[in-house]
């Protein structure tokens, strides 16, 4: 089971649920478009994580070392993210 902590709440992901879908299900306001790692509009900052964040395929969107793409990343264990929009 994967637990997600944000400034808004703590929740778990359902089996085979993406981080993006979990955030949307729990009322977080997350920007997204492609859902496949191409656009990068869903990127959030990863504050801490108990397991490495993985991607089934390398995303094409440019992200910083402390950022993840909730639409296509795979998370396990416990992860703490800043879900507020990243301003560049």
């Amino acid at each position: 089971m994967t637990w997600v902590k944000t400034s808004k709440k703590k929740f778990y992901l359902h089996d085979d649920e993406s981080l993006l879908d979990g955030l949307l299900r729990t009322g977080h306001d997350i920007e997204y478009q492609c859902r496949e790692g191409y656009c990068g509009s869903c990127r959030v900052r990863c504050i801490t994580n108990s397991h490495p964040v993985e991607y089934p395929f390398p995303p094409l969107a440019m992200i910083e070392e402390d950022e993840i793409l909730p639409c296509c990343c795979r998370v396990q264990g416990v992860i703490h993210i800043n879900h507020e929009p990243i301003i560049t």
Side-chain angles (χ1 to χ4, degrees):
M1 179 179 296
T2 300
W3 284 98
V4 179
K5 181 180 176 189
T6 70
S7 62
K8 207 172 174 181
K9 60 180 68 171
K10 182 178 178 181
F11 64 95
Y12 68 91
L13 293 181
H14 295 289
D15 291 339
D16 296 323
E17 182 178 43
S18 72
L19 180 55
L20 175 61
D21 288 335
L23 288 164
L24 294 172
R25 173 178 54 83
T26 55
H28 291 82
D29 186 24
I30 300 292
E31 295 291 324
Y32 66 93
Q33 291 179 20
C34 72
R35 289 185 167 259
E36 295 183 10
Y38 297 122
C39 70
S41 63
C42 69
R43 66 193 169 120
V44 297
R45 293 208 192 284
C46 180
I47 298 169
T48 61
N49 50 305
S50 64
H51 290 74
V53 174
E54 298 177 348
Y55 292 90
F57 53 88
L60 294 178
M62 302 273 289
I63 56 174
E64 298 294 327
E65 192 172 311
D66 65 342
E67 297 173 346
I68 60 173
L69 298 173
C71 69
C72 62
C73 72
R74 299 290 176 245
V75 294
Q76 296 178 5
V78 179
I79 187 166
H80 183 191
I81 62 170
N82 179 349
H83 70 284
E84 299 299 323
I86 297 174
I87 300 171
T88 57

